[in-house]
Amino acid sequence: MGQFNDYIKNVMKWNGDLVQFLESEQVEKDAEIWSRLDNFTNIMGSISQRNLSQEELEKIQSEVEELHHEMERYFNKRQEVGMVYTNEPFIEIGNHILPPLPYAYDALEPYISEEIMKLHHTKHHQSYVDGLNKAEKNLEKARKNGDFSLVKHWSRELAFHGSGHYLHTIFWHNMSPKGGGAPKGDLLKEIEKYFGSFEAFKKHFSEAAKQVEGVGWAILVWSPRSRHLEILQSERHMLLTQWDTIPLLVLDVWEHAYYLQYKNNRPEYVDKWWNIVSWTNVQERFSKAKLLKWKPY
């Protein structure tokens, strides 16, 4: 019950943050996004945490995902018609926060356990957020004082914790209780074009994840420079990184992501993870990423 209450608390806070954000952006009150948000607020205000049915929980999860997509669609449309942002969202130095999950902690079972998800999100991801904030604040202090004697240390902390925070934020949305299967449309065509087939891609990505030395990630990226997809490995969060690429699909193979459930059997964790991949999310990231194209070299 405590874990469920934490999830509801995070969702309600996220709902409040959205209201403040739309107000700060001076979004017209008759805009459809307000209607969806008001509906979601009513749902959250009427729930009973002790008697919530599975159907009600699934409705909340579905609303969270749809509201997230609706926000993206709304602001993309505003950009397309050339509207100017007077108060563009900006993260102040040292003010990063832990994003809520778009589903309950037990929603990815049996593939990833509730215990792992809560520990991974509330402890490990939170530690990267805290570390990133600390690094930013200390680098700001160095700039003000003109003392860069520890710039190497804090730059390393900035890279480690910042990469950890950003990759995990992608990772949560790369998964869904309704995931699995295969991608469709232009993402599938691009995969087949570069890797030969979806199965060849899946095999390559899985092996990259299984063979990351130590701890780290397997990452599918879009390269605006070469204009094709690629599969990379990253040790820790940032080593072996290929710059000028955009992450589309990421898989965390740090031991804390699977050890409590799969012990030292990383390959089994990787193989079962494909059942919860959110290809809808990957497609959305790809659609935006492919719009960015640098001069090829």
Side-chain angles (χ1 to χ4, degrees), residues 243-263:
W243 297 104
D244 210 12
T245 60
I246 303 172
L248 303 179
L249 175 67
V250 302
L251 172 55
D252 189 345
V253 290
W254 281 67
E255 290 187 343
H256 62 240
Y258 63 88
Y259 197 84
L260 288 177
Q261 183 174 357
Y262 294 95
K263 301 302 184 282

Side-chain angles (χ1 to χ4, degrees), residues 32-33 36 66-75:
E32 184 178 348
I33 185 66
R36 289 200 59 87
E66 182 56 33
L67 190 54
H68 174 78
H69 297 326
E70 186 65 27
M71 287 283 288
E72 288 193 342
R73 287 193 290 267
Y74 176 81
F75 285 102

Side-chain angles (χ1 to χ4, degrees), residues 91-92 94-100 120-121 124-133 136 157-173 217 236-238 250 252 254 256 285:
I91 303 297
E92 297 287 347
N95 282 338
H96 297 275
I97 61 173
L98 180 69
H120 198 169
H121 180 245
H124 291 282
H125 191 172
Q126 182 66 63
S127 73
Y128 300 131
V129 173
D130 295 341
L132 173 59
N133 288 333
E136 286 186 349
E157 291 291 286
L158 186 71
F160 177 77
H161 292 289
S163 295
H165 170 47
Y166 297 135
L167 283 171
H168 278 91
T169 301
I170 297 171
F171 183 54
W172 306 135
H173 290 276
W217 301 74
R236 305 178 84 178
H237 301 306
M238 67 295 188
V250 302
D252 189 345
W254 281 67
H256 62 240
R285 294 185 63 83

Side-chain angles (χ1 to χ4, degrees), residues 279-295:
W279 290 111
T280 299
N281 176 257
V282 181
Q283 172 65 56
E284 289 176 353
R285 294 185 63 83
F286 174 62
S287 295
K288 293 180 180 180
K290 70 177 183 178
L291 297 176
L292 183 61
K293 296 180 179 180
W294 303 125
K295 185 174 181 179

Side-chain angles (χ1 to χ4, degrees), residues 73-90:
R73 287 193 290 267
Y74 176 81
F75 285 102
N76 284 340
K77 185 176 181 180
R78 276 181 57 162
Q79 287 180 315
E80 288 173 3
V81 297
M83 294 189 68
V84 178
Y85 285 74
T86 58
N87 295 299
E88 187 172 355
F90 172 74

